[in-house]
Amino acid sequence: MGTRHQARERALQILFQHDIHGKAGVKLDEFWKEFTATDEAKAFAEQLVKGVLEHRKDLDALIGKYATNWAVSRMPIVDRNILRAGLYEFLWMNDVPAKVTMDEAIELAKSFGDDEASKFVNGILDKVLATEPGLAEKRATPEKPVWRRAGA
């Protein structure tokens, strides 16, 4: 499992707990005592969590705009937090290609959501990416190529 994939899983777990308990603060120290991750994964996970919590109102408004016939508050907790994290990556993490964000969000939905979660998450993120004017640069930026040495 890649470092950032692990970080996204941990971020989802933290955001899920935050949503369940509804507490204003996130006790990251307590979480890391129970769950392991590399320092790099912890840093990326915490960046996602803090960003989602800081911009949650804007993220929820954007989700609500594209989730036809769905109130964000009535969505499954896993789905809405995957969407929040994905949108945060789209909007505030310019170094992460949109395709990577989409693929990771879909994989998280398959792992942690119900049978329809991956389709739902894919549909919302795809609509947002395709139509939001502020994401034109993300749409135009292809995934960074992975260079491999011959024989590697």
Side-chain angles (χ1 to χ4, degrees):
M1 174 183 340
T3 300
R4 285 200 169 180
H5 181 77
Q6 181 188 43
R8 286 179 180 95
E9 283 187 357
R10 296 297 186 239
L12 177 60
Q13 291 167 318
I14 295 166
L15 292 168
F16 184 92
Q17 287 181 6
H18 183 268
D19 236 3
I20 290 286
H21 299 295
K23 294 180 182 174
V26 175
K27 305 279 190 221
L28 293 173
D29 291 340
E30 291 176 23
F31 180 84
W32 294 123
K33 286 178 187 173
E34 191 171 333
F35 296 94
T36 60
T38 65
D39 289 341
E40 188 180 345
K42 285 180 186 179
F44 190 76
E46 289 182 13
Q47 180 182 5
L48 279 174
V49 169
K50 290 175 183 175
V52 166
L53 295 178
E54 180 181 338
H55 298 284
R56 186 167 140 177
K57 194 176 273 189
D58 295 328
L59 295 168
D60 285 356
L62 196 56
I63 293 167
K65 177 179 173 181
Y66 290 94
T68 311
N69 301 321
W70 276 97
V72 176
S73 62
R74 306 234 351 142
M75 288 178 185
I77 295 170
V78 169
D79 296 3
R80 73 173 164 242
N81 281 296
I82 292 170
L83 288 169
R84 286 170 177 159
L87 290 176
Y88 177 76
E89 284 190 34
F90 278 173
L91 296 165
W92 285 281
M93 297 182 83
N94 296 327
D95 65 320
V96 180
K99 181 176 180 2
V100 171
T101 298
M102 290 285 292
D103 290 347
E104 287 287 330
I106 292 165
E107 287 305 311
L108 287 172
K110 286 178 181 176
S111 296
F112 294 99
D114 66 18
D115 293 340
E116 297 297 314
S118 62
K119 293 175 192 166
F120 180 69
V121 166
N122 183 40
I124 300 295
L125 290 179
D126 192 51
K127 277 193 234 177
V128 172
L129 183 62
T131 57
E132 277 299 302
L135 294 174
E137 191 173 316
K138 277 275 188 171
R139 284 191 295 273
T141 305
E143 182 178 356
K144 295 176 185 171
V146 176
W147 298 100
R148 293 194 173 105
R149 291 181 297 140

